[in-house]
Amino acid sequence: MRIHFTLDDLARTRLAPAPSPLAMTSLSVYRLGHGPPSPGLDLWRRTVRAGLRASTDGGYDPFAELAPTAPSHPVPRFLRPYAGLRTLDEELERLRATPRQSLRADIDYIARHRDLPPRTVRDLADARPHETARLAAAVRAYHRVAVAPYREGLAAALAADRAVRSRQLLDGGVESVLRGLHPRMRWRPPVLELVGHGDGDEYRLGGRGLVLAPGAFSTYVPCDPADEQPTLYYEVFGGGARPALFTHLALPDDRRTALAALLGHSRAAVLQVAADGASTNQLAARAGLSAASASKHASVLRDAGLLATHRTGRAVHHTLTPLGAQLLLAP
């Protein structure tokens, strides 16, 4: 996909004021079935899928019908606000208050680009109160399993990304931000190229500018021509071998506490870091330990069958064994 900028577009391009819990929740659905291999992301997928199976009754779920499960799926604007409110509940109240004409326009647009069940089109487009309440409840139930348990790590990564973007904006202007958004994006003035998005699509902003919002789980570019100002939800990237957020998705808060009670805080931290694969020095740095202490804890975990250690030359690399992964994933 190629996004074309004019001088007016560059002047009006800005950072989103705050991450949207609702947009983060909606865009995370795509990551359940797609995305680069990563131990953190794979652990997140498995725990979320198990949690969703346990928490759903198999009935009609309007959020599951509307959330994106393929790159080509447009997402209705009422599920992807770029201006976040403080909590998901506040955003869901805003969703329930969406005017009928706005709901109908969004549903009509989505239905022209992907198949939707007639019930979803009919009931939501008419803004029936019980249907918007059902949608809000479905979003909340999904968020409780897929996003809420990881909120601390996600918030930290998003805050760090915003600090980086703000510094880029101050030091080098909007073009500096566009140059460093993501390794799969290339700024070739006056065009931003997104590798792997769209099918050679050419998107012109038409003087409206672009809102740059951290997409948390997935990069998403709405192409709805009715958007007052288009928003690019870019996937937060750590600048290393993997997106920064994936390292925060391995374990929910309550599981982290239980694991620490079982193994001790230091060994639990070493086990969690090893989910992404790490050298002894990386174990130490990420777990906040000395190299000697990290090596000792890794040896204990290896003797217990939870870690596997491989040596290549002078480098030592630690990964989880199937038993170690099962311990992290145990309900």
Side-chain angles (χ1 to χ4, degrees):
M1 173 181 284
R2 289 160 50 88
I3 303 176
H4 294 259
F5 288 74
T6 65
L7 290 177
D8 285 342
D9 292 317
L10 286 173
R12 291 172 181 160
T13 293
R14 58 195 176 91
L15 302 177
S20 162
L22 179 53
M24 182 190 305
T25 302
S26 299
L27 297 177
S28 75
V29 176
Y30 174 74
R31 277 288 177 239
L32 282 180
H34 306 274
S38 163
L41 181 61
D42 292 342
L43 285 171
W44 173 77
R45 284 182 178 130
R46 292 168 64 182
T47 54
V48 169
R49 287 169 181 164
L52 292 176
R53 285 195 297 270
S55 64
T56 57
D57 57 11
Y60 172 65
D61 184 344
F63 180 60
E65 302 292 347
L66 291 168
T69 56
S72 59
H73 284 176
V75 184
R77 282 171 291 188
F78 54 77
L79 288 180
R80 52 169 176 85
Y82 68 82
L85 300 179
R86 190 173 60 87
T87 66
L88 178 70
D89 285 340
E90 290 175 304
E91 293 198 317
L92 291 178
E93 284 301 313
R94 181 171 61 183
L95 183 156
R96 294 180 63 178
T98 303
R100 174 179 295 185
Q101 61 270 25
S102 298
L103 280 173
R104 178 166 296 174
D106 271 10
I107 293 295
D108 287 348
Y109 177 78
I110 300 303
R112 290 197 300 271
H113 291 80
R114 55 181 285 203
D115 292 333
L116 290 178
R119 174 176 181 174
T120 300
V121 176
R122 181 189 68 242
D123 293 348
L124 278 177
D126 286 344
R128 300 183 180 185
H130 66 280
E131 287 300 327
T132 53
R134 185 197 294 264
L135 174 60
V139 172
R140 188 179 288 108
Y142 172 86
H143 178 273
R144 187 180 303 118
V145 174
V147 179
Y150 311 93
R151 60 188 177 275
E152 291 183 6
L154 293 171
L158 291 171
D161 179 82
R162 181 168 177 80
V164 169
R165 306 305 170 198
S166 298
R167 174 53 58 187
Q168 289 174 336
L169 190 62
L170 286 171
D171 290 346
V174 68
E175 290 191 89
S176 177
V177 178
L178 294 174
R179 279 195 298 269
L181 272 181
H182 195 279
R184 295 176 66 86
M185 298 182 192
R186 294 192 292 260
W187 173 240
R188 295 181 174 175
V191 175
L192 181 65
E193 297 179 347
L194 281 67
V195 179
H197 292 274
D199 186 17
D201 295 337
E202 304 283 339
Y203 189 52
R204 288 172 169 77
L205 299 172
R208 295 171 294 171
L210 192 65
V211 177
L212 303 172
F217 290 89
S218 183
T219 294
Y220 175 69
V221 187
C223 293
D224 186 346
D227 280 344
E228 181 177 347
Q229 186 173 33
T231 302
L232 168 57
Y233 300 87
Y234 62 90
E235 186 173 27
V236 172
F237 205 85
R242 63 175 60 87
L245 289 177
F246 293 174
T247 62
H248 296 281
L249 296 176
L251 208 62
D253 297 340
D254 56 345
R255 290 286 302 123
R256 187 180 299 111
T257 301
L259 193 63
L262 175 66
L263 299 175
H265 288 283
S266 295
R267 284 179 191 158
V270 168
L271 190 68
Q272 293 169 58
V273 171
D276 281 317
S279 67
T280 300
N281 286 338
Q282 289 170 331
L283 288 180
R286 296 176 190 172
L289 302 170
S290 68
S293 180
S295 179
K296 181 178 180 179
H297 289 307
S299 295
V300 172
L301 294 170
R302 182 176 59 251
D303 292 343
L306 303 178
L307 287 189
T309 299
H310 309 276
R311 182 179 294 275
T312 304
R314 299 178 62 183
V316 176
H317 197 72
H318 307 280
T319 58
L320 292 181
T321 64
L323 180 61
Q326 185 177 6
L327 180 61
L328 286 179
L329 290 165

